[in-house]
Amino acid sequence: ISFSGFLNALDGVRSQEGQILFMTTNHKEKLDPALLRPGRADVHIHLNHASEQQIKEMFTRFNPEHKHLAEAFAKKLPVHKLSMAKIQGHLLKHRGKAPEAL
């Protein structure tokens, strides 16, 4: 498929109405402006690495009975250095064993 064909599939004559398309990239600056113009990409959300608050909230979701450990867990991790997926993987590995997650 050509780039032109891709753009036509997004919003050309043969495109379907009522659909939502999610696009992800690590290098938004490298994308062709035609792909990002209004109507094709109306909402842009930057997903940062985890904040301390996000770390605490994720710990609590995985360990609601150990909410009191969330602060200690968050303090042990570097802020804005780890992805939410990385933290989630760690918590999944220690699911049901909150003290071990620390």
Side-chain angles (χ1 to χ4, degrees):
I1 185 170
S2 67
F3 185 63
S4 176
F6 176 65
L7 295 178
N8 280 326
L10 292 179
D11 61 1
V13 178
R14 304 191 111 196
S15 67
Q16 295 181 0
E17 295 292 320
Q19 292 187 348
I20 297 175
L21 173 70
F22 290 89
M23 296 184 285
T24 64
T25 182
N26 290 332
H27 300 283
K28 183 179 170 186
E29 71 281 358
K30 293 182 180 181
L31 297 177
D32 190 295
L35 185 60
L36 301 176
R37 74 160 175 79
R40 286 196 179 122
D42 295 324
V43 178
H44 301 250
I45 299 172
H46 181 79
L47 301 176
N48 280 327
H49 290 302
S51 68
E52 184 175 348
Q53 183 63 33
Q54 289 173 312
I55 294 168
K56 287 190 278 192
E57 288 175 12
M58 186 174 285
F59 182 91
T60 301
R61 278 184 205 252
F62 276 84
N63 304 286
E65 67 284 356
H66 294 286
K67 189 175 184 176
H68 61 285
L69 296 176
E71 184 80 29
F73 179 74
K75 292 290 183 199
K76 289 186 173 192
L77 299 177
V79 178
H80 299 294
K81 298 286 184 195
L82 299 170
S83 70
M84 293 293 282
K86 183 86 169 171
I87 297 166
Q88 179 180 331
H90 177 78
L91 292 170
L92 280 169
K93 183 178 174 183
H94 299 284
R95 185 173 228 154
K97 302 174 269 181
E100 290 181 23
L102 297 178

